Amino acid sequence: MWVLLSKVRRDIGRRRLRNALTLTGIVLGVAGIVAISFTGRSIADAQHLTYAGSQRADLAAFASNLSPTTKNLIDRQPNVIVTDTRNVHTTRFSTGDGWHNLRLVGVESLQDMRLDIVELTRGRAPGRGEIVFDESTADLNPVEIGDVVALRDAPGNTITYLTVVGFTQSPASLGAGLLNRATAYTPKASVTGITGRSTDNFILIRVEDQQRASQTGQDISRLLSKRGTPVGTFDVRDPEQFVGSRELDTLLLLLSIFSYLGAALSSVLVANTLSAVMSEEIAQIGIMKSLGASKWHVMATYLAYVGMLGFVGTLAGLLAGVLIGREITAYLTGLTGLQQPATTITMREVGLAMVVGALVTVTASAIPVISTANQRVAPLLRSPGIRGASGGRAMRWLSAPISRINVAAAVGLRNAMRRPARTVSTIVVVTVAVAAFIATQALSRSVSETVDELYDLYGADGWISFQQPVGVGYSSFLERDPWITHVEPWTSARGAFGSTRTDIWGMPERDPLYSYRLIDGTWVTKSNPASAVITSNLAAEIGARVGDLRVLDVGEQRETVTIAGIVDDSSTYLGSAATGKVFMHISDVNRIRRLGQQAEIFAFTLTSNDPADVETALEAIEHRAREFGPTTYSAAADQQASAQAIGVLTLMLNAMVVVVAVVGVTGIANTLLINVSERRREFGILRSLGAATRHVLGVLVIEGSTLAAIGLIAGTIVGYPLARLMVELTSGELFELTFHLSPGALATTFGVAMLTVMAASALPGLVAARIRPIQVLRYE
């Protein structure tokens, strides 16, 4: 046993650089798997922790005149555990560098909040004339404690100044950068001073039986309507989901795919290394067996060597994976408003680390070890050691013209195929790394291009909404604004076909700003029964066809609608739990909702869509409509917020691809180092014949570039279907994507890969160039 351990220790010590590269591959493979597993578990823990600690509301809705008496009445209703009310106002704030959307929440005090409790992370609770912002506000505006912010509903309106005294974390809420809107808290008196509204207008309810939450909301709506307190549609919390959970689940799924690819590549790297070790030590193995060692002793010796690398790589990869997972969790919880849980390591992470770092690496090494250990003594002792055969007739034929120009390049080209098994495994590593990079680029491009195409469907440059619905005739007043060229009244609602929730949009019949892409049927018309146009993904979900009659639930109302058409539009907003959209004539939606001839939002086009002009126009429009408390939205700003969400996906995927790419580059460097070790005498002869350092470097750079070029070609062939698969997978989880893979992305892949491989080949080249001929030529 001591002899075995001594040999293992000696082998590890005398192959330091090669072992370091192999360990790097193991560590990266283990770290990727552990990081994704840790992140997925931590996100689930964060959801439970946030909902338990913040007393997350199950029902939420806007209402009017929520007096303490009304609140107490709701508290006494069946299935209601606790209620809380807020005075919420949508406004805008500025610190001197432009105006930003703000959701201002008036509370008695942060300590008295009973539901959706926010955590004070910095500073102190606000008093009169003071305000605290959500931490994510920094994504919109770099607000600091002590700053004085200006609040204004619309240009020309009274400006209120409040002092920033702290920052909070809002539970289960998307960040300000993703929403293009900040959230802040202030005493109710401050909101009353801005709005003149003395009673609360937003109600939160936590129920006992979540299965009955929707029914409880309907019962409360009827109760309050009878008392003259109109209530909007209740948002019902899904206990199994949180805002952005679908997007996060998709992201983690994609990251998992790449992490498993990285783990597989690390096992190939280990197998490649041990195969070279067995080739180097064939004579030693023959001597061991001639002295009485059985094949089991030989196998134990070399598997112990691999096991030691796997053990060290497992520990380092486990630690690195947990640290990386913690950082990813902190980043994602910051975006979604979840409370970051304590860092813990479970047996799941330990088990995955052991499987990848120890079991997979040892298993991958078993084939070369068993193959060599089963050989008879005589062939092992007769072994010529390192063979000097070149890459075969084909490579000699291909390299012959090159040798007339540059001998070093021809030698490097022939050497690339000198060890077929090793060459194939190295090319496999490069192929997978290149394919992963291409798939990521295609997915990122497909998402961004599809989002741009979907925004093109909505031809509006901006939208304006008010604190309450206004008459559709208000569009004529808006059209008199010199900035506006066309206005359309829209309305919206949330509905469901059975258990399938969806969004409903009421639009004009003729030439709407929404440039629908009709697949079948016709566009909406005013009819009886009401006609509806649905998106293709909703049609597939509920099994509907043109001409079908379906029952549509809108709040407490139930309407039978005729499916008049199907359009191609799978767009959704971040955190949406709805499937597709339903488009109806605005008058039909208003009739169902009992809104009369009113609209909730007006879409418009402007004389200029330049961002600076749009901002100027929105201010002017708000000023004209200031009597209704308007809020304007820029299509460009909304698209920018979507781009930020896409950036999160791209950032995470690129980070995982970097891991796969590093393993691939490590594989090439490791292969070249093995080749240098095997051909020490050959390089010594080259140096003794006058080969300069540049010649030796050229041989290895060409050798590595040849492997990379073959891997690039194979990676492109494999990468295209992989990219298709990932785009289809993402389409199924989020929304339908249009596949995009530009030639420029392929050219970038080729260029980056070749430059990286050439740089990685330089290290083995420098090692070979430092070989002293006198040392290797006198070695026997």
Side-chain angles (χ1 to χ4, degrees):
M1 177 61 71
W2 290 110
V3 174
L4 172 63
L5 293 176
S6 177
K7 176 171 174 49
V8 171
R9 182 180 58 81
R10 181 175 61 84
D11 287 345
I12 291 177
R14 70 187 181 91
R15 299 187 182 98
R16 294 177 182 175
L17 186 55
R18 189 190 310 173
N19 291 334
L21 289 174
T22 305
L23 271 175
T24 299
I26 297 173
V27 170
L28 290 175
V30 173
I33 292 287
V34 171
I36 301 307
S37 173
F38 179 93
T39 301
R41 177 179 59 82
S42 297
I43 291 295
D45 291 344
Q47 179 185 2
H48 297 148
L49 184 63
T50 301
Y51 288 156
S54 65
Q55 288 292 303
R56 188 78 172 136
D58 298 309
L59 296 168
F62 278 96
S64 60
N65 301 321
L66 288 171
S67 65
T69 303
T70 303
K71 178 174 174 295
N72 292 334
L73 177 64
I74 298 173
D75 272 330
R76 296 195 298 270
Q77 297 306 303
N79 198 36
V80 173
I81 298 176
V82 63
T83 63
D84 199 3
T85 59
R86 312 275 165 80
N87 199 342
V88 178
H89 179 59
T90 300
T91 184
R92 309 189 84 183
F93 79 99
S94 174
T95 56
D97 60 345
W99 294 90
H100 308 279
N101 294 326
L102 176 67
R103 186 174 188 263
L104 185 64
V105 182
V107 295
E108 291 295 344
S109 70
L110 297 182
Q111 294 77 15
D112 292 336
M113 298 174 73
R114 305 173 68 186
L115 293 175
D116 287 3
I117 302 169
V118 300
E119 177 186 358
L120 190 66
T121 57
R122 287 188 289 156
R124 59 179 176 82
R128 188 174 183 84
E130 297 174 336
I131 188 172
V132 294
F133 279 88
D134 186 81
E135 287 279 8
S136 65
T137 304
D139 296 335
L140 284 179
N141 187 288
V143 181
E144 295 293 342
I145 293 177
D147 289 350
V148 175
V149 297
L151 274 61
R152 184 189 69 183
D153 290 350
N157 283 16
T158 303
I159 296 179
T160 301
Y161 295 95
L162 300 176
T163 303
V164 181
V165 296
F167 289 91
T168 64
Q169 183 178 20
S170 303
S173 299
L174 294 177
L178 297 178
L179 292 174
N180 193 31
R181 184 194 67 199
T183 300
Y185 299 87
T186 190
K188 287 184 179 180
S190 298
V191 178
T192 299
I194 296 173
T195 64
R197 183 178 58 243
S198 59
T199 57
D200 293 345
N201 66 334
F202 190 68
I203 185 169
L204 303 165
I205 303 172
R206 190 174 180 90
V207 300
E208 183 176 359
D209 182 2
Q210 292 179 333
Q211 299 295 325
R212 296 164 47 208
S214 181
Q215 183 61 48
T216 301
Q218 294 178 16
D219 294 341
I220 293 174
S221 294
R222 283 193 293 268
L223 175 67
L224 295 184
S225 295
K226 292 178 180 178
R227 295 176 58 87
T229 303
V231 182
T233 303
F234 274 101
D235 288 329
V236 183
R237 180 177 72 87
D238 186 343
E240 301 301 323
Q241 301 290 330
F242 58 91
V243 177
S245 61
R246 184 177 60 172
E247 291 79 6
L248 280 182
D249 289 343
T250 304
L251 175 61
L252 292 176
L253 175 62
L254 297 175
L255 293 180
S256 297
I257 293 174
F258 286 118
S259 67
Y260 283 112
L261 285 177
L265 293 185
S266 68
S267 66
V268 174
L269 188 60
V270 173
N272 205 14
T273 300
L274 195 63
S275 177
V277 171
M278 301 303 292
S279 298
E280 290 177 353
E281 301 201 356
I282 285 179
Q284 291 187 34
I285 295 172
I287 294 173
M288 291 169 61
K289 297 190 72 172
S290 66
L291 294 176
S294 67
K295 65 178 182 180
W296 303 109
H297 290 108
V298 175
M299 291 171 57
T301 300
Y302 291 97
L303 289 179
Y305 163 68
V306 177
M308 182 63 70
L309 292 177
F311 176 74
V312 175
T314 298
L315 290 181
L318 176 62
L319 178 61
V322 170
L323 294 176
I324 295 171
R326 186 176 66 177
E327 292 303 313
I328 295 176
T329 301
Y331 179 66
L332 294 179
T333 52
L335 291 175
T336 55
L338 297 177
Q339 184 175 345
Q340 186 173 6
T343 301
T344 57
I345 302 176
T346 65
M347 289 305 300
R348 177 182 176 182
E349 283 82 48
V350 175
L352 285 172
M354 292 179 63
V355 167
V356 176
L359 182 60
V360 172
T361 54
V362 172
T363 302
S365 307
I367 294 177
V369 170
I370 295 174
S371 175
T372 306
N374 280 330
Q375 294 186 38
R376 292 178 298 170
V377 174
L380 290 171
L381 293 177
R382 281 201 310 266
S383 174
I386 304 301
R387 293 190 297 269
S390 62
R393 293 181 180 179
M395 292 305 298
R396 288 198 296 272
W397 180 78
L398 288 172
S399 62
I402 299 176
S403 64
R404 300 188 186 99
I405 302 173
N406 190 304
V407 176
V411 172
L413 184 62
R414 288 197 295 267
N415 284 343
M417 300 299 172
R418 195 163 181 171
R419 291 285 190 181
R422 186 181 306 159
T423 298
V424 169
S425 63
T426 304
I427 290 174
V428 167
V429 171
V430 177
T431 298
V432 173
V434 171
F437 184 81
I438 290 175
T440 301
Q441 295 305 305
L443 178 59
S444 176
R445 181 71 180 273
S446 298
V447 173
S448 59
E449 290 289 338
T450 301
V451 169
D452 289 342
E453 291 170 3
L454 292 173
Y455 270 98
D456 289 340
L457 292 177
Y458 295 86
D461 294 318
W463 296 269
I464 185 170
S465 63
F466 305 100
Q467 299 292 335
Q468 59 187 18
V470 300
V472 294
Y474 194 74
S475 57
S476 300
F477 173 78
L478 291 173
E479 281 186 333
R480 292 200 293 269
D481 190 286
W483 284 99
I484 294 179
T485 58
H486 178 63
V487 179
E488 287 180 0
W490 291 3
T491 190
S492 64
R494 294 182 181 178
F497 288 105
S499 60
T500 303
R501 289 187 287 178
T502 186
D503 293 324
I504 303 172
W505 285 94
M507 288 186 173
E509 177 179 346
R510 296 180 180 276
D511 301 323
L513 287 176
Y514 173 72
S515 304
Y516 54 87
R517 298 182 296 202
L518 205 60
I519 297 176
D520 191 13
T522 60
W523 181 242
V524 299
T525 58
K526 185 178 180 181
S527 59
N528 189 16
S531 65
V533 174
I534 62 177
T535 56
S536 56
N537 58 339
L538 177 58
E541 181 70 21
I542 65 175
R545 295 180 299 179
V546 172
D548 288 353
L549 291 174
R550 292 300 176 100
V551 176
L552 177 64
D553 293 320
V554 185
E556 298 180 25
Q557 305 301 315
R558 177 164 290 188
E559 182 83 5
T560 299
V561 298
T562 302
I563 306 300
I566 298 176
V567 293
D568 178 17
D569 180 1
S570 56
S571 62
T572 183
Y573 55 89
L574 190 62
S576 172
T579 301
K581 302 183 184 71
V582 176
F583 300 99
M584 300 176 66
H585 194 278
I586 183 173
S587 61
D588 288 333
V589 178
N590 285 349
R591 175 178 53 79
I592 297 171
R593 295 189 57 200
R594 299 176 181 175
L595 286 179
Q597 295 297 313
Q598 293 183 309
E600 295 175 313
I601 188 170
F602 292 84
F604 52 80
T605 54
L606 299 171
T607 55
S608 171
N609 56 11
D610 180 83
D613 291 340
V614 170
E615 289 301 318
T616 302
L618 293 183
E619 285 201 12
I621 294 167
E622 285 185 356
H623 181 69
R624 285 177 57 87
R626 61 186 181 278
E627 61 179 311
F628 294 105
T631 299
T632 56
Y633 307 89
S634 163
D638 192 55
Q639 190 167 0
Q640 184 179 3
S642 297
Q644 183 172 349
I646 295 171
V648 174
L649 172 68
T650 303
L651 174 65
M652 291 296 175
L653 289 178
N654 286 342
M656 189 54 67
V657 169
V658 166
V659 172
V660 177
V662 169
V663 175
V665 172
T666 301
I668 286 196
N670 198 39
T671 295
L672 295 180
L673 278 174
I674 292 171
N675 293 344
V676 169
S677 177
E678 287 182 343
R679 305 201 299 265
R680 285 174 58 84
R681 298 188 71 187
E682 178 182 321
F683 284 113
I685 292 172
L686 285 175
R687 294 302 305 273
S688 68
L689 293 176
T693 298
R694 70 176 185 275
H695 297 127
V696 177
L697 277 172
V699 168
L700 288 169
V701 169
I702 294 297
E703 187 174 341
S705 299
T706 301
L707 296 175
I710 298 173
L712 278 167
I713 296 172
T716 303
I717 296 174
V718 175
Y720 183 81
L722 178 61
R724 282 281 186 183
L725 175 63
M726 293 191 65
V727 169
E728 289 295 327
L729 181 63
T730 306
S731 297
E733 295 293 327
L734 296 180
F735 54 88
E736 190 68 28
L737 299 177
T738 304
F739 183 81
H740 289 276
L741 180 59
S742 65
L746 295 177
T748 301
T749 303
F750 271 74
V752 172
M754 292 303 296
L755 290 174
T756 304
V757 168
M758 291 174 67
S761 304
L763 177 60
L766 292 174
V767 172
R770 295 180 60 184
I771 293 176
R772 299 180 61 185
I774 191 171
Q775 290 181 339
V776 295
L777 293 179
R778 71 185 180 190
Y779 170 75
E780 294 294 338

